[in-house]
Amino acid sequence: MGVLYYPYLLLVFWYKDLLFASLKFSQDFLLYWLYLVSVPILVKTFFKPLKNEYREGLVVFSVAFGIVVKLLLLIAIFLVTLVILLLLVVLNLAVVLIPVFTIRMLIL
């Protein structure tokens, strides 16, 4: 009689434990990626001069050039982050839909 509970226990494990583990992995991976490419530091120092240049006449140019460089970096990071986010959404949808497709294949 206990053998009949195995499919139920597998589904409970899949949707309770594995789904939350997959979502936690996705969150951790996304945060790791953002810290890996130094997004918090880029945002914090966005209006600071590039290379701490504080000489007379070069401060405005250094701040403007720093903003341009950091903005280009943030745009590139944002595009790569969107691709990573799309892949993580597909991974999590696959985790959700694998049991559904498996049961459908077994029934039909």
Side-chain angles (χ1 to χ4, degrees):
M1 189 67 172
V3 175
L4 296 177
Y5 286 120
Y6 287 158
Y8 169 74
L9 293 175
L10 180 63
L11 283 177
V12 167
F13 160 75
W14 193 274
Y15 284 117
K16 183 180 168 205
D17 297 333
L18 190 66
L19 179 62
F20 290 124
S22 175
L23 291 173
K24 179 71 173 147
F25 168 78
S26 297
Q27 178 188 7
D28 290 344
F29 187 81
L30 199 58
L31 287 175
Y32 172 75
W33 162 252
L34 292 176
Y35 279 101
L36 181 69
V37 293
S38 302
V39 170
I41 295 172
L42 285 173
V43 171
K44 188 189 314 183
T45 62
F46 191 72
F47 294 108
K48 303 270 186 190
L50 198 60
K51 297 192 77 159
N52 291 327
E53 185 64 54
Y54 289 107
R55 285 188 282 181
E56 186 80 26
L58 292 176
V59 175
V60 174
F61 172 75
S62 183
V63 168
F65 193 68
I67 288 172
V68 169
V69 169
K70 291 171 189 171
L71 186 65
L72 291 174
L73 278 172
L74 286 172
I75 289 171
I77 290 168
F78 179 71
L79 293 175
V80 174
T81 303
L82 283 179
V83 171
I84 290 173
L85 193 60
L86 179 69
L87 290 173
L88 290 174
V89 166
V90 168
L91 173 80
N92 289 323
L93 280 176
V95 167
V96 169
L97 295 177
I98 283 175
V100 173
F101 289 133
T102 305
I103 291 172
R104 182 174 164 89
M105 284 177 27
L106 289 173
I107 292 173
L108 295 177

